[in-house]
Amino acid sequence: MNYNNLPTLDETVLMALDFFTQKKPSKLNLKSLSFPIVVGSGNAYNTAQLLFSGKKAVIASESNFKVILKTYQDLIKKKIIKEALIISASGEKDSVWEVKLAKKYQLTTILMTCNPESTAAKLADQVFSYHKLPEPYTYNVSTYLGMLLSASSEKAKNIKSFIKPLRIPNLKKYKAFSFIVPDELAAIAPMLEIKRDELFGPNLSLRAFSYGQARHAKFVHPANKELVISLGKNLYFGVKKNRLEIKNLKNIGPGLAMALTYYLVGLIQKSQPPYFQKNIAKFCLEGPKAYGKTQPFTIIVS
């Protein structure tokens, strides 16, 4: 395969939206979980924050899951906390030991995954399985977007209808980009910064903040080379002529927020040299392997 022809992130978003228009994700009722510990790595952690925004839950990552279990062991013993929900697209890597450890604490283990035949799925007490598309390694668009849509009941068709007509300026004019997202969707910001690391590394400045975070001296240095993209009105941040406001976003849901911002990051990716396409194959072959595995990661994840 010619990896120079890998789809950009925006193209992958549109493919995922078409996919979920035809194959709607099953409805996910999070109200059945009274007070779970929810754990995920990378964007699975941020997905957990979006899924459980405004709900009783303890959100943990692979870095602090052990500490969280010890901290809340009194509530676990009293059966106030009864479930551990592990979010993992692959059902491998950290999710395997996380399921095993949660079981040691006698928690009911629930796995949200796109791989029902994975190691973690075979260990978990209950599995919520999601369909996904083959995508370039690290993209994880259909994986987490499907989970968000299953909980929010947003329609993929409507999201695409909103995204496609957007009028976007010439992105090649800029060397830096910032996103500002609503406070209630603050978890989108670190998701975008992960995409910066994966797609651009040190080659491009891409920042993301909630409105509340943006007010804390993030824009002391306005620059003509920076485009500031806001989901909603932007009264203060960036050079005025370099502000792109995405309007008509009343009651925006997490699915639209993720798809919209990923789509825009993909357009930025398309405007730049093909950093990802040039480097991803070497990283997959020579970079770190999944925990407990010897084979390299595949460039296209099925």
Side-chain angles (χ1 to χ4, degrees), residues 36-56:
I37 296 176
V38 187
V39 58
S41 301
N43 271 334
Y45 174 84
N46 300 314
T47 299
Q49 289 189 305
L50 291 169
L51 287 171
F52 286 87
S53 176
K55 301 177 181 67
K56 291 180 181 178

Side-chain angles (χ1 to χ4, degrees), residues 29-156:
N29 181 14
L30 297 175
K31 293 180 180 178
S32 62
L33 303 176
S34 56
F35 188 12
I37 296 176
V38 187
V39 58
S41 301
N43 271 334
Y45 174 84
N46 300 314
T47 299
Q49 289 189 305
L50 291 169
L51 287 171
F52 286 87
S53 176
K55 301 177 181 67
K56 291 180 181 178
V58 180
I59 312 297
S61 71
E62 77 286 359
S63 299
N64 67 0
F65 186 45
K66 294 176 183 178
V67 173
I68 291 289
L69 287 171
K70 290 180 180 179
T71 302
Y72 287 89
Q73 61 183 335
D74 58 332
L75 298 185
I76 294 171
K77 288 178 180 178
K78 292 176 182 177
K79 301 297 182 181
I80 295 173
I81 295 177
K82 297 180 287 186
E83 305 109 347
L85 175 64
I86 293 91
I87 301 177
S88 172
S90 68
E92 301 291 347
K93 297 179 279 190
D94 290 297
S95 64
V96 177
W97 69 259
E98 289 163 354
V99 171
K100 290 179 179 177
L101 184 59
K103 281 181 170 290
K104 288 184 178 180
Y105 279 79
Q106 299 184 335
L107 291 167
T108 299
T109 53
I110 305 164
L111 178 71
M112 293 175 64
T113 185
C114 297
N115 186 1
E117 303 301 321
S118 63
T119 304
K122 293 173 183 176
L123 295 170
D125 297 311
Q126 186 178 0
V127 177
F128 289 109
S129 179
Y130 293 86
H131 296 291
K132 66 169 186 171
L133 288 171
E135 296 173 355
Y137 177 64
T138 79
Y139 274 23
N140 274 323
V141 175
S142 59
T143 51
Y144 299 129
L145 181 58
M147 294 178 186
L148 293 176
L149 294 177
S150 74
S152 69
S153 299
E154 297 168 89
K155 294 182 179 180

Side-chain angles (χ1 to χ4, degrees), residues 184-203:
E184 62 272 19
L185 295 166
I188 290 289
M191 295 178 80
L192 300 180
E193 293 187 336
I194 288 173
K195 284 290 160 274
R196 172 200 62 204
D197 297 338
E198 295 168 347
L199 300 181
F200 309 112
N203 297 298

Side-chain angles (χ1 to χ4, degrees), residues 12-45:
T12 304
V13 167
L14 296 179
M15 286 188 283
L17 291 172
D18 287 339
F19 177 69
F20 289 126
T21 297
Q22 298 299 320
K23 204 175 189 71
K24 294 179 175 60
S26 301
K27 178 70 176 175
L28 177 64
N29 181 14
L30 297 175
K31 293 180 180 178
S32 62
L33 303 176
S34 56
F35 188 12
I37 296 176
V38 187
V39 58
S41 301
N43 271 334
Y45 174 84

